[in-house]
Amino acid sequence: MREQKQSTTTDAVYELLCRAIIEQALQPGMRLPEDTVGEQFGVSRTIVRHALVRLETMGLVVSRRNRGAFVAEPSIEEAQQIFQVRRCLETEVIRIGIETMSEEDFEQLDAHVRREQAIRGKDGPVSIRLSGEFHILLAQLSGNEVLARYVTEVVLRCSLIMAMYAKSHSSDCAVDEHSQIIEALRTANADLAVSLMEHHLGAVAERAAFKKAPDTVESILSRYGKELAH
Amino acid sequence: MREQKQSTTTDAVYELLCRAIIEQALQPGMRLPEDTVGEQFGVSRTIVRHALVRLETMGLVVSRRNRGAFVAEPSIEEAQQIFQVRRCLETEVIRIGIETMSEEDFEQLDAHVRREQAIRGKDGPVSIRLSGEFHILLAQLSGNEVLARYVTEVVLRCSLIMAMYAKSHSSDCAVDEHSQIIEALRTANADLAVSLMEHHLGAVAERAAFKKAPDTVESILSRYGKELAH
DNA sequence: GGCAAGTTTTTTGTATCCAATCGATACCTT
DNA sequence: AAGGTATCGATTGGATACAAAAAACTTGCC
C-alpha cells in the first residue's frame, strides 16, 4: 500500500503464471519451456526466465539444470512441512491481528467472505484461490509485511497442494470458519481465534491428506523419486 | 544433503554477494551496479541480475526501477517485524527439533559452537555470520526444509540489521546461550528450550534496538523516507 | 551567483545470439 | 534380440547488443 513499486513486465508474467498454476490451468508436473511461455505472452525468454526464478524460490515450480522448469509436484512430506509452517505463521497472524486490527480491517475481511459466499457451491480452482486469498488478506492486515509475505507463499503452495491432492475441490466448510475467525478477532478473543484458526487449518490439511489413493503407477513412483518420473 | 542441486554461476555470485552483505563488506545503502559487480566477478550482467533478483526477494537488497539495486537498509519497523517473525519461526524449530533431533545432530551443533568459541573475543562481521549460521544449522536439523528456508532468510536479514544497528558487533553472550539451547534440546526440556530461545532472540533484538544513535544525516533521513535519501 | 533547460553519459530493461548440456533415437556389437 | 554407445536434436545457461530511462553535466539566462 505504501510502496508504489511500479511493476515491470517480469512481475506481470510472474503474476499470470502464478494464477495459472493456482487455478490448475497449469497442472503439476507440466513443463514450462521458456520460449513457449515467452511467445504466449509476447515477451522474450529473458523475462520468462526471471519470472520462473521467482516462482522457483517460492516453491511453485522446480527447475532442473538444462532440463527446464516444471510446475512443482509437492510430495506428501513436503506438503506436511508446508502445512506445519503455515499453522505456525497463521497463529502468529492471529496473535498480532488481535492487537492491531481495526474495524475497518474487519470490514475488508467481511467483504471478502461475502465474495467467497457468492460463489458458494461452485467448487473448483476459483474457490480454492479465493479461500487462500482470505488468509493472505488477513496476514496483510496484521501489519507485519514480512509475515504477510511468508504467509502468502505458504498459502499459495497450499493451494497447489489442495489442487493436487484434495479429492473434492470443495471449500464450503471453510467459508463459515472464516466468518467465525473474524468474529473471534472482533471480540478480541485470542484463545478462541487461535484455536479456530488451528482447527481450520487442521481441517484444510486433512482434506488434503486423505485424498486420492495412490492408485496409479505414476503417483506411487512420484513418492520414490521425482527425478525418475520424467 | 539429499539433493545434489548442481550449482550454477548465478548461485555462486549470489552466495558471494550474500556473504559480502552479511559481513558488511557491502554496506547498507551501497549501490550495486550490474556491470561493476559483473566485471568484478568476471561474469556478465545477466548472471548478476539473476543473483540480484534473488537477493531482492530475500530482502537483502532493494531495487528501484531504472535506478538499480542497493544493499537494503531495513528501517526500525522492518527490523522489528523481522525479529517478530524470527521468534515465531525459531520457537517452532525448537518444538520440532526436540521431537526429531538425534545425538548426531547435537554433535553437529556442538561442533559449530566450538567454532564460534574459537573466534570468541574477536568481534566483527565473521562473528555475526557464525552466530547466524548456528540458527540456520539448527533449523536445517529440524528436518523441515520449508521452515529452514524461512529461518535462513530471517537470520540473514537479522545479520544485516545487527551489522547496521548494533553498537558493538560482539556476540559473546550469544555463544553461551547457544550451548544452553543445545543442552535443553538434548534433555528434551521443551519449555526450557523455548524460553531460552526466546530469551536469546530477545537479547539479540535488544542489542540491535539500543544501538548507534542516529548521528549522521543519512541515517536520520533514512528514517523519514528512503526515496529522499538518494 | 544561482537557477533552469537542454544535452550527454551512465545504467538499467529487454531482445537476440552462441555454446554447453541433457535426453532420445538409432546404430552397432555381442 | 538385447544392451551399450554414439550421434542428433531440443532446450537451457550465459553473453552480447540495442533501446529507454534516469542522472549528471553543461550552458545560457536571469
Side-chain angles (χ1 to χ4, degrees):
Chain A
M1 200 67 48
R2 74 163 181 259
E3 300 223 355
Q4 201 53 305
K5 233 347 181 180
Q6 40 200 332
S7 67
T8 151
T9 315
T10 303
D11 294 325
V13 173
Y14 162 80
E15 293 279 352
L16 285 171
L17 285 176
C18 193
R19 274 190 61 152
I21 291 172
I22 298 308
E23 298 191 349
Q24 285 249 271
L26 297 171
Q27 298 189 355
M30 207 170 254
R31 287 199 60 231
L32 299 171
E34 294 177 0
D35 43 11
T36 306
V37 176
E39 63 197 32
Q40 281 299 323
F41 291 118
V43 296
S44 86
R45 280 180 47 213
T46 312
I47 308 294
V48 178
R49 216 137 120 125
H50 281 236
L52 289 176
V53 167
R54 285 175 55 179
L55 286 167
E56 187 186 7
T57 66
M58 281 195 60
L60 287 183
V61 317
V62 294
S63 68
R64 288 198 259 288
R65 187 176 173 83
N66 291 318
R67 290 291 328 275
F70 302 77
V71 178
E73 300 175 280
S75 65
I76 301 287
E77 296 75 30
E78 197 177 342
Q80 285 169 342
Q81 293 181 356
I82 293 169
F83 269 109
Q84 186 168 30
V85 173
R86 176 171 176 177
R87 195 173 299 125
C88 166
L89 290 173
E90 292 221 53
T91 53
E92 186 75 7
V93 166
I94 296 287
R95 280 191 219 101
I96 301 177
I98 227 160
E99 301 288 339
T100 62
M101 283 173 55
S102 67
E103 179 55 28
E104 190 185 344
D105 295 331
F106 294 133
E107 277 160 22
Q108 273 196 63
L109 290 168
D110 285 334
H112 187 94
V113 169
R114 280 195 295 276
R115 230 170 300 147
E116 288 188 75
Q117 283 166 337
I119 64 156
R120 193 195 196 101
K122 293 176 200 150
D123 290 352
V126 177
S127 158
I128 289 182
R129 180 168 61 79
L130 273 181
S131 180
E133 282 173 357
F134 171 82
H135 293 263
I136 294 173
L137 177 60
L138 186 59
Q140 286 169 342
L141 293 177
S142 80
N144 187 325
E145 289 174 40
V146 180
L147 185 56
R149 209 204 92 204
Y150 290 145
V151 168
T152 302
E153 277 196 24
V154 292
V155 167
L156 288 179
R157 294 178 78 172
C158 280
S159 298
L160 177 60
I161 291 165
M162 294 295 293
M164 233 183 117
Y165 289 120
K167 57 163 153 282
S168 149
H169 287 172
S170 158
S171 298
D172 285 351
C173 67
V175 179
D176 289 339
E177 291 175 8
H178 288 176
S179 309
Q180 290 175 33
I181 290 171
I182 298 176
E183 273 319 296
L185 284 171
R186 251 207 186 86
T187 55
N189 190 336
D191 293 337
L192 178 60
V194 168
S195 70
L196 279 174
M197 177 60 88
E198 288 190 327
H199 171 263
H200 177 50
L201 292 179
V204 171
E206 235 158 71
R207 263 181 301 138
F210 305 133
K211 43 50 218 26
K212 78 176 173 194
D215 41 15
T216 68
V217 178
E218 291 81 1
S219 63
I220 296 172
L221 287 181
S222 76
R223 306 275 179 83
Y224 288 86
K226 294 243 174 306
E227 51 279 79
L228 303 176
H230 300 280
Chain B
M1 200 63 46
R2 74 164 180 256
E3 299 222 356
Q4 201 53 302
K5 238 334 183 187
Q6 41 201 331
S7 68
T8 142
T9 315
T10 303
D11 294 324
V13 173
Y14 162 80
E15 294 279 353
L16 284 171
L17 284 176
C18 193
R19 273 189 62 152
I21 291 172
I22 298 308
E23 297 190 351
Q24 285 249 273
L26 297 171
Q27 297 189 355
M30 207 170 252
R31 287 197 61 232
L32 299 170
E34 296 177 359
D35 43 9
T36 306
V37 177
E39 65 196 30
Q40 281 299 324
F41 291 117
V43 296
S44 86
R45 282 178 47 214
T46 311
I47 309 295
V48 177
R49 180 172 268 271
H50 278 256
L52 289 176
V53 167
R54 285 175 55 177
L55 286 167
E56 187 187 8
T57 66
M58 280 196 60
L60 287 183
V61 316
V62 293
S63 68
R64 287 197 260 286
R65 186 176 172 83
N66 292 318
R67 294 285 329 273
F70 302 78
V71 178
E73 301 175 279
S75 65
I76 301 287
E77 297 75 31
E78 197 177 342
Q80 285 169 342
Q81 293 181 355
I82 293 169
F83 270 110
Q84 186 168 30
V85 173
R86 177 171 175 177
R87 195 173 300 125
C88 166
L89 291 173
E90 292 222 52
T91 52
E92 186 75 7
V93 166
I94 296 288
R95 280 191 220 100
I96 301 176
I98 229 161
E99 301 289 338
T100 62
M101 282 174 56
S102 67
E103 180 54 30
E104 188 185 345
D105 295 330
F106 293 133
E107 277 160 22
Q108 273 196 62
L109 290 169
D110 286 334
H112 188 95
V113 170
R114 281 195 293 276
R115 231 170 299 145
E116 286 187 76
Q117 283 167 336
I119 64 155
R120 194 197 194 100
K122 292 176 200 151
D123 290 352
V126 178
S127 158
I128 289 183
R129 180 169 60 79
L130 273 179
S131 179
E133 281 174 358
F134 171 82
H135 293 263
I136 294 173
L137 178 60
L138 186 58
Q140 286 169 341
L141 294 177
S142 81
N144 188 324
E145 291 175 38
V146 181
L147 185 56
R149 210 205 90 204
Y150 289 144
V151 168
T152 302
E153 278 196 24
V154 292
V155 166
L156 288 178
R157 295 178 77 173
C158 280
S159 298
L160 177 60
I161 291 165
M162 294 295 293
M164 234 184 119
Y165 289 122
K167 59 163 152 276
S168 150
H169 287 173
S170 157
S171 297
D172 286 350
C173 67
V175 180
D176 289 339
E177 291 174 9
H178 289 175
S179 309
Q180 290 174 32
I181 290 171
I182 298 176
E183 272 321 295
L185 284 171
R186 251 208 186 88
T187 56
N189 190 336
D191 293 337
L192 177 60
V194 168
S195 71
L196 279 174
M197 177 60 88
E198 287 189 328
H199 171 264
H200 177 49
L201 292 179
V204 172
E206 237 160 71
R207 262 181 300 137
F210 307 131
K211 42 49 214 32
K212 79 175 173 196
D215 42 16
T216 68
V217 178
E218 290 80 3
S219 63
I220 296 172
L221 288 181
S222 75
R223 306 276 178 82
Y224 288 83
K226 295 242 174 304
E227 51 278 277
L228 303 176
H230 300 282

